[in-house]
Amino acid sequence: MELMFSLLAQGVQMLLVVAIAPLQVGLTRKIKARLLLRRGASIIQPYRDLWKLLRKEALMAENASWLCRMLPYVVFSTTWVAAALVPTYATGLIFGWSADIIVVVSLLGTARFALVLAGLDVGTSFGGIGSSREMLIASLAEPAMLLVVFTSALVAGTTQLSEIALHLLHQPIGLRVSLGLALVAMVIVALAENARIPVDNPATHLELTMVHEAMILEYSGRHLALMELAACVKMVLYVSLIACLFFPVGLADPGSRLPAMAAGMGIYAVKLTVAAFLLAVGETTAAKMRVFRVPQFLAIAGVFATLAVILLFVSRGM
């Protein structure tokens, strides 16, 4: 009976990150529209869009290889697995032993490689531009993210996400400047990885500015639906990761029963709503940067993450 409950709890988390991902995007768009004094589309519009794409025929370019058909499944599956490993409403799930933050970063790197390869496969100019810009962003965002991971691992003494969350919940760590700097760096990395303002504008299709959209221009039907759903799941992943590493309040302890997990789900829903509101406010008050200024923006994340590690070592040595 205990094994069945553990498997059920893990299965709920795996389904939750996929089921709630389009709703997170729809809520962000709705809040952003309200802030701009517009009515905006329904918050369930992303579900309708995905369903419409799934019903359409998947057309491919004449010079597309077999990789072009396979890569959407690779992008979605690796992103989904990475999101399912991050604790959302409870810690210590049955597959929690594999929820290592290094594994999550590796899965995200695999998804990025597949996405870039998908943009290059057909050989269009837009796909090449988007892929080159994506790799430029990744070359600056990944080191910053790894330094944030290093900071969290030094604080908790492990890279296992459930253990980090439990350490922050139950150990008196006090106010740490290093964690604050790491949080700022993580937010910048999340904006860049999810192609949000100021790095990219998900609401535009201008050829000279888009990054993510340029790599999936040649897809349609179910392949495009998988790419779009993977992007939604990726946003939920980063919100969950930030909540787990810096705001683990509400996460159920290992061995908790149904009431504690239900409370954890409610608090997780609040975290997603707050993240959607803050993202909408940020995108409403900020403008998209020029592509050539994006490296400077991501360099801030690298500097903050480096300072976080240095300050953590200095505070330990005093």
Side-chain angles (χ1 to χ4, degrees):
M1 189 64 181
E2 187 69 26
L3 178 61
M4 291 298 296
F5 182 79
S6 300
L7 290 174
L8 180 61
Q10 183 68 65
V12 167
Q13 174 162 303
M14 295 180 67
L15 294 177
L16 178 65
V17 294
V18 175
I20 207 171
L23 183 63
Q24 173 78 0
V25 175
L27 181 61
T28 304
R29 293 175 181 173
K30 187 70 172 181
I31 296 174
K32 187 176 179 180
R34 289 296 187 181
L35 292 174
L36 295 173
L37 302 181
R38 295 188 288 107
R39 182 178 179 181
S42 171
I43 61 175
I44 63 172
Q45 186 61 42
Y47 293 101
R48 297 170 180 167
D49 296 338
L50 291 172
W51 176 245
K52 191 179 299 183
L53 288 173
L54 288 172
R55 294 168 60 188
K56 289 185 176 181
E57 181 182 1
L59 300 177
M60 306 297 296
E62 293 182 357
N63 57 336
S65 68
W66 60 271
L67 282 173
C68 200
R69 294 177 173 84
M70 181 192 70
L71 290 173
Y73 299 95
V74 176
V75 173
F76 173 71
S77 59
T78 51
T79 306
W80 183 16
V81 171
L85 291 178
V86 180
T88 56
Y89 66 91
T91 59
L93 297 179
I94 191 169
F95 293 149
W97 57 270
S98 62
D100 192 284
I101 196 167
I102 303 298
V103 175
V104 173
V105 174
S106 301
L107 288 171
L108 289 175
T110 303
R112 179 185 298 106
F113 173 76
L115 182 60
V116 170
L117 192 59
L120 294 173
D121 183 74
V122 179
T124 60
S125 57
F126 290 155
I129 291 174
S131 297
S132 63
R133 290 174 178 174
E134 177 70 15
M135 292 309 297
L136 171 64
I137 292 172
S139 65
L140 298 172
E142 282 191 354
M145 186 173 181
L146 288 174
L147 287 173
V148 172
V149 169
F150 191 40
T151 303
S152 302
L154 286 175
V155 172
T158 179
T159 57
Q160 214 276 338
L161 287 171
S162 291
E163 296 297 329
I164 293 175
L166 289 173
H167 182 85
L168 295 177
L169 276 173
H170 301 297
Q171 298 297 328
I173 62 172
L175 293 176
R176 289 181 179 266
V177 178
S178 56
L179 289 180
L181 294 173
L183 172 60
V184 175
M186 192 66 181
V187 170
I188 295 175
V189 170
L191 293 175
E193 293 282 10
N194 287 279
R196 309 297 300 195
I197 292 175
V199 176
D200 192 14
N201 188 356
T204 185
H205 292 274
L206 296 176
E207 292 86 354
L208 296 178
T209 61
M210 59 185 177
V211 178
H212 178 266
E213 295 292 334
M215 294 182 288
I216 61 175
L217 277 178
E218 299 299 322
Y219 283 104
S220 62
R222 64 180 182 277
H223 296 147
L224 182 57
L226 286 173
M227 288 294 197
E228 295 289 355
L229 184 56
C232 297
V233 173
K234 191 175 183 180
M235 181 186 295
V236 172
L237 185 156
Y238 273 93
V239 173
S240 303
L241 192 59
I242 292 173
C244 177
L245 293 178
F246 303 101
F247 307 102
V249 179
L251 285 173
D253 292 333
S256 299
R257 307 310 298 172
L258 190 59
M261 291 189 174
M265 285 187 182
I267 297 176
Y268 179 62
V270 173
K271 294 176 182 178
L272 290 176
T273 304
V274 172
F277 177 77
L278 293 177
L279 180 59
V281 171
E283 293 191 340
T284 305
T285 56
K288 183 188 178 301
M289 290 182 176
R290 295 175 58 195
V291 175
F292 300 108
R293 292 191 61 190
V294 171
Q296 301 175 16
F297 178 68
L298 291 175
I300 297 175
V303 171
F304 275 39
T306 305
L307 287 175
V309 176
I310 294 174
L311 287 176
L312 189 60
F313 274 115
V314 170
S315 62
R316 283 190 168 188
M318 296 177 60

